[in-house]
Amino acid sequence: MRRRTAVLLSGRGSNCAALIDAAADPAYPAEIALVLTNVPDAPGLARAAAAGVPTAAIDHRSFGRDRAAHERAVIAALRAAGIELVCLAGYMRVLTPLLVGAYAGRMLNIHPSLLPAFPGLHTHAAALAAGVKLHGCTVHLVTEALDAGPIVAQAAVPVLPGDTEATLAARVLVQELRLYPLALALLAGGGAGVPAAADATLCNPLPGAGGVA
Ligand code: GAR
């Protein structure tokens, strides 16, 4: 039985598209049953709709400062669609315990750094400023602490001489688009890499992904 999965996004939607592509294989253990955004004109929503995936837009601005009310509406939409698993993919909202709790152990996020290094925003600029030689991306379970949940998978890339924020971001994104479908498959399939406690770390599962975090 494929696990009904929602992708939440706020922008471009390239990770969402990678998940939709992976789930096009009937053998993939998750189906993308809903793509939901807080930004009605997010390009990612149009991409998902063009791929034939059901979409929903719940604009956070309609709820003013009431984050809980916005999240209640999101949770209602997820439940109405029978969603079991949630993938945050460039969903640029800080979640409250309400949404985190509704999908505890069943919600993934992709973050563009090798966590615990560089949580928060502007990760590529921070990596360049710190002078690290390895950078990358992380898929982790979402907990109440920002960018700090149990790590499911990571992929590393080298930082090369002359890199700019844009060149480094592009190199990381290539790995994001490979990593997220793998991590969702692990969670959806209950695979060896993700036990119920979900405290296992699988570093660099990808051939040729670069160094180890
Ligand atoms: C991705 O690089 C993702 O890692 C990042 O936003 C981008 C979304 O791109 N997420 C975060 O920074 C979360 N803190 P996409 O919409 O093309 O998938």
Side-chain angles (χ1 to χ4, degrees):
M1 196 64 174
R2 288 166 24 107
R3 312 287 299 278
R4 288 179 68 80
T5 301
V7 180
L8 271 53
L9 58 78
S10 303
R12 179 178 58 182
S14 52
N15 276 284
C16 178
L19 292 169
I20 290 170
D21 287 350
D25 179 350
Y28 191 77
E31 67 171 301
I32 307 305
L34 180 66
V35 173
L36 187 150
T37 188
N38 64 312
V39 179
D41 61 354
L45 200 70
R47 283 174 86 166
V53 176
T55 60
I58 303 177
D59 191 338
H60 63 278
R61 291 169 301 188
S62 319
F63 296 83
R65 293 191 177 174
D66 194 344
R67 286 180 174 272
H70 178 251
E71 289 194 348
R72 277 195 296 274
V74 170
I75 292 167
L78 296 174
R79 290 192 174 143
I83 296 301
E84 302 168 76
L85 305 177
V86 174
C87 291
L88 306 182
Y91 186 64
M92 305 312 269
R93 301 280 298 165
V94 175
L95 304 192
T96 81
L98 199 63
L99 184 49
V100 174
Y103 282 90
R106 299 184 293 140
M107 185 188 295
L108 295 171
N109 179 47
I110 188 156
H111 181 79
S113 78
L114 292 173
L115 291 171
F118 312 124
L121 298 175
H122 311 301
T123 56
H124 308 305
L128 288 171
V132 295
K133 298 284 183 264
L134 275 181
H135 186 44
C137 52
T138 302
V139 177
H140 64 93
L141 284 164
V142 176
T143 60
E144 288 182 26
L146 185 70
D147 298 332
I151 291 170
V152 175
Q154 292 184 304
V157 301
V159 180
L160 300 178
D163 261 340
T164 63
E165 210 176 322
T167 60
L168 187 54
R171 193 174 308 122
V172 171
L173 185 63
V174 170
Q175 295 306 322
E176 291 188 42
L177 304 186
R178 300 172 68 194
L179 191 69
Y180 214 170
L182 174 73
L184 174 58
L186 287 170
L187 183 65
V194 187
D199 57 359
T201 299
L202 176 63
C203 284
N204 260 359
L206 305 173
V212 174

